[in-house]
Amino acid sequence: MNYIKKTIPLIIILVLFFGCPKRQTEPEVVEEIPVEEEIPFEEVQLPEPEPEPELPPFVLETVFFDFDKSDIRVDGAEILQRNAEMLQLYPYMSITLEGHCCEIGTAEYNLALGERRALATREYLIMLGISADRMSTISYGEEKPLDPLNLERNRRCEFVAR
Amino acid sequence: MTQRIPHVRRQPMGMLLHTIAVFLVGVRFAQDVYLRLTDFGGGKISIYIEPFTSEQASVDAVTRVRNIEAVIENDLEYSLYFDILADTAEFADADEGVILQAHETDGQLKTVLLDYASKEQIAVQEYHIGNELRATAHTISDDIIEQLTGEKGIASTKIVFSYRTSAGKELAMVDYDGYNFTRLTNNGRFNLFPAWAPDQNRILFSAHSWDRLNIYLFDLSKRDISIISSFRGLNFAPCWSPDGTKICLCLTKDGNAEIYLLDLKTEKLNRLTYNKAIDTSPAFSPNSREITFVSDRAGNPQIYVMDMHGGNVRRLTFHGNYNTSPAWSPRGDIIAYVSREPDNSQQVYVTDPYDFEPVRLTSKGNNEEPSFSPDGLHIVFSSNRSGTYELYTMNWDGSRLRKLSDGVTATAPDWSPISD
């Protein structure tokens, strides 16, 4: 109780000092807000946390194939080179290679072709030094098109972390 | 090709009397009953269906029997064996024909087949009208077809297929005329390649688990699913031997897609193909001795035939560089398949399995995955001619197109056998 009695005068003084002027300046504060320089939304930068592990985010690029083919193309080889480097940065990450096809041909044949694409991709990554037991394969054939209107985009091998 | 229906021999006269005689002595020799069916439009049996009647005068009762009548009329027209006459006056042109009469009493429908010329009764049957009017009507249709032609009708058959959902593909079945959509699976996965067992009571299919594609068996009467094959990699494209004792399937456990034969009793698995190429889509010949399949061993997918031990492989297709999806007609004399055209569309063809002579049956949009009706006279297939993949049926020569599915994106149809 003593403590409260002592602080009451202090509170009164504080209110007298800061309470009244604040009420007067209130309209000015309201005016100031729009005056502040407008920073475009994109340029607002969030404070970066300390980059503890200096690793890029784990992203593997999709590899594309020619019609009815499972050979790794030149552009595919470059992508797999980058994917292999990424996998070496994350040595404990295991992945599933998903083979896909465009809708031309039967679902059966495309399942087999999708698996062939996944296995060809796996072989290539093994050649680049990625351990075979980090990779499993599955084929979805023509069942999961990336873009139903663009057949070339569907002839692919995707990488899914597991 | 359009000039013949295989295994249905031309008989110049007396077909109907012959049939009646066989029926009256109560013994049916199916191979002794011949149709004068040489092309569509001629040589069919003329039949006049009298409006079905009911003992009760209520609108409901009359509507019920008239609905059964409408289904029967559609079945008989579909079967290709009949000319449906609008009036008895049309018999004037036909020297022979039959009249179908039906009358309902206390939920029992009595059907009578009359020979038009002699007015003699050919067959009299009674049916209980249950709640499933369409099923009752299909049973009556099949009886009429068998009584008049000696052939088994297909009116009670069903078609199973995969249809797309937001999550994957589920299995469903419909009656052969598209009615009675019945969902079979609801697991959110990709359920593919349904294949009817010869007993019309079980369906093999493939579905994905997280790391592989397995083959399952759906028992329709027990409503039970069991796993048949789950080797590492893909287990897919199953098909039954016509006697139901073996299944042919495709496995990638040995490095790439190969065809295997699994004996369901002994569970012995025999590998039939040894090839670095993709070997898939097996389908049995109706005598169980041969298997047609797809292989890209020559550089691109083509149709091949081998015996059931994997020997005597011969290539069947030599035109076009992308031929897949073979289906052997239950009559044995034609194989339907899909060919990719120079304009990149896919079309259904039929060919003789021994003497390659392809005939194209479709032209609009992409047409895929043909499957024969058990009488070999019709083909169900998937087509995107409407913009999305839907199911259609057509006669074995490409005529009389009918849309089967309603509003679902459907693929991989398989026509059921005839149930006993």
Side-chain angles (χ1 to χ4, degrees):
Chain A
M1 287 306 275
N2 266 353
Y3 172 75
I4 290 174
K5 276 178 192 164
K6 278 179 195 167
T7 51
I8 284 171
L10 186 64
I11 290 169
I12 293 167
I13 291 163
L14 281 172
V15 169
L16 285 175
F17 264 79
F18 296 101
C20 298
K22 198 181 180 184
R23 220 173 283 146
Q24 284 167 354
T25 53
E26 228 169 20
E28 280 172 38
V29 174
V30 172
E31 272 169 35
E32 268 175 32
I33 290 169
V35 179
E36 272 179 39
E37 56 173 315
E38 282 183 39
I39 301 165
F41 190 71
E42 307 89 68
E43 284 178 26
V44 177
Q45 295 214 336
L46 293 172
E48 287 273 328
E50 288 289 307
E52 285 175 19
E54 283 190 21
L55 282 178
F58 185 72
V59 176
L60 296 174
E61 294 170 68
T62 298
V63 184
F64 294 92
F65 295 84
D66 286 334
F67 173 67
D68 196 23
K69 291 281 186 292
S70 56
D71 315 287
I72 304 295
R73 304 191 307 216
V74 177
D75 61 331
E78 289 166 7
I79 290 170
L80 288 179
Q81 186 67 49
R82 289 197 292 275
N83 285 353
E85 285 162 15
M86 180 66 73
L87 284 164
Q88 269 147 3
L89 291 178
Y90 288 85
Y92 300 108
M93 197 71 108
S94 288
I95 54 166
T96 298
L97 282 62
E98 286 186 3
H100 298 271
C101 302
C102 69
E103 63 170 46
I104 298 174
T106 52
E108 297 98 300
Y109 184 80
N110 282 333
L111 270 169
L113 179 61
E115 179 168 80
R116 206 185 242 180
R117 284 174 177 163
L119 289 173
T121 307
R122 182 172 175 270
E123 283 306 305
Y124 201 92
L125 286 173
I126 289 171
M127 215 173 69
L128 294 175
I130 306 303
S131 162
D133 42 325
R134 294 176 62 192
M135 297 181 281
S136 63
T137 57
I138 185 79
S139 170
Y140 284 97
E142 62 183 58
E143 307 301 339
K144 286 184 168 180
L146 202 59
D147 178 355
L149 298 176
N150 186 341
L151 298 181
E152 284 171 24
R153 297 263 301 149
N154 297 331
R155 300 165 191 149
R156 68 199 195 276
C157 179
E158 285 185 25
F159 304 86
V160 181
R162 63 174 154 91
Chain B
M1 198 93 198
T2 51
Q3 287 305 305
R4 62 194 163 95
I5 282 203
H7 297 217
V8 179
R9 270 194 266 157
R10 189 185 172 91
Q11 170 101 344
M13 53 181 287
M15 178 278 300
L16 194 62
L17 291 174
H18 184 95
T19 313
I20 294 163
V22 168
F23 183 78
L24 289 179
V25 294
V27 184
R28 282 187 215 128
F29 299 100
Q31 66 270 35
D32 281 345
V33 181
Y34 300 119
L35 284 182
R36 299 182 308 137
L37 188 63
T38 51
D39 53 59
F40 301 114
K44 299 185 179 185
I45 301 171
S46 296
I47 188 166
Y48 171 67
I49 303 172
E50 276 187 12
F52 285 15
T53 53
S54 171
E55 188 188 37
Q56 298 163 266
S58 74
V59 177
D60 276 2
V62 174
T63 309
R64 216 153 71 113
V65 293
R66 296 303 298 273
N67 284 343
I68 293 174
E69 179 195 326
V71 175
I72 292 172
E73 180 172 342
N74 181 63
D75 288 344
L76 297 184
E77 198 266 329
Y78 198 118
S79 75
L80 300 180
Y81 296 126
F82 297 94
D83 258 338
I84 315 280
L85 304 187
D87 198 286
T88 45
E90 291 183 28
F91 276 122
D93 299 335
D95 48 358
E96 52 193 30
V98 288
I99 296 173
L100 170 64
Q101 300 169 330
H103 182 71
E104 189 237 316
T105 319
D106 292 335
Q108 296 288 117
L109 189 72
K110 186 178 174 186
T111 61
V112 180
L113 281 170
L114 287 179
D115 180 48
Y116 173 68
S118 68
K119 297 289 180 288
E120 273 180 57
Q121 287 188 351
I122 301 167
V124 180
Q125 296 266 36
E126 275 208 32
Y127 301 88
H128 174 69
I129 306 177
N131 291 325
E132 294 181 13
L133 293 188
R134 298 195 70 87
T136 306
H138 291 321
T139 305
I140 297 171
S141 301
D142 282 343
D143 286 348
I144 292 169
I145 289 164
E146 193 165 2
Q147 283 152 3
L148 294 179
T149 70
E151 301 273 336
K152 295 256 188 199
I154 58 159
S156 301
T157 58
K158 294 173 188 304
I159 290 163
V160 65
F161 54 92
S162 285
Y163 71 99
R164 194 165 271 289
T165 63
S166 54
K169 280 185 172 178
E170 303 289 352
L171 299 185
M173 62 179 179
V174 290
D175 291 351
Y176 90 111
D177 54 7
Y179 286 84
N180 278 335
F181 180 93
T182 309
R183 223 159 122 154
L184 296 176
T185 61
N186 186 17
N187 54 32
R189 297 194 226 162
F190 284 93
N191 298 274
L192 310 167
F193 318 121
W196 286 103
D199 62 10
Q200 213 211 43
N201 196 31
R202 292 172 296 165
I203 294 167
L204 282 170
F205 67 101
S206 285
H208 277 96
S209 59
W210 75 275
D211 70 335
R212 59 192 66 185
L213 183 65
N214 305 309
I215 294 176
Y216 300 89
L217 181 63
F218 193 121
D219 189 311
L220 292 175
S221 55
K222 293 184 200 157
R223 285 265 145 188
D224 168 61
I225 294 177
S226 54
I227 197 152
I228 292 291
S229 176
S230 181
F231 290 101
R232 193 172 59 85
L234 304 175
N235 302 257
F236 67 112
C239 77
W240 294 84
S241 66
D243 62 7
T245 61
K246 298 178 189 70
I247 64 172
C248 217
L249 67 167
C250 215
L251 304 174
T252 62
K253 68 185 179 73
D254 295 326
N256 82 344
E258 303 286 359
I259 296 169
Y260 297 76
L261 189 64
L262 175 67
D263 189 306
L264 289 174
K265 272 193 195 129
T266 64
E267 295 190 2
K268 193 165 179 270
L269 187 70
N270 277 331
R271 183 168 164 183
L272 301 186
T273 57
Y274 290 84
N275 209 297
K276 280 186 180 171
I278 290 172
D279 297 300
T280 187
S281 300
F284 268 96
S285 70
N287 64 9
S288 295
R289 288 193 194 129
E290 289 183 301
I291 294 162
T292 178
F293 64 102
V294 171
S295 176
D296 72 344
R297 58 187 64 182
N300 46 46
Q302 298 291 345
I303 316 281
Y304 293 77
V305 174
M306 63 182 166
D307 66 36
M308 66 172 291
H309 307 291
N312 294 314
V313 178
R314 66 176 196 274
R315 180 169 164 181
L316 194 63
T317 50
F318 287 95
H319 88 296
N321 58 14
Y322 201 103
N323 297 305
T324 53
S325 219
W328 213 310
S329 162
R331 287 176 188 266
D333 58 338
I334 51 175
I335 287 176
Y337 65 97
V338 173
S339 186
R340 184 173 177 239
E341 301 288 332
D343 67 358
N344 286 346
S345 74
Q346 298 180 84
Q347 305 299 343
V348 176
Y349 280 74
V350 287
T351 182
D352 188 299
Y354 303 101
D355 183 16
F356 183 59
E357 39 170 339
V359 176
R360 178 167 152 168
L361 300 187
T362 58
S363 55
K364 238 178 122 186
N366 287 330
N367 301 281
E368 301 183 57
E369 305 169 309
S371 169
F372 280 96
S373 61
D375 64 2
L377 297 180
H378 308 272
I379 296 171
V380 62
F381 61 102
S382 65
S383 173
N384 70 350
R385 62 185 66 207
S386 70
T388 159
Y389 276 93
E390 294 179 286
L391 303 184
Y392 296 81
T393 62
M394 62 183 170
N395 293 344
W396 65 281
D397 64 352
S399 63
R400 196 67 167 88
L401 188 81
R402 293 175 171 95
K403 194 166 166 177
L404 188 75
S405 49
D406 52 346
V408 293
T409 299
T411 51
D414 190 51
W415 206 314
S416 82
I418 292 167
S419 59
D420 293 322

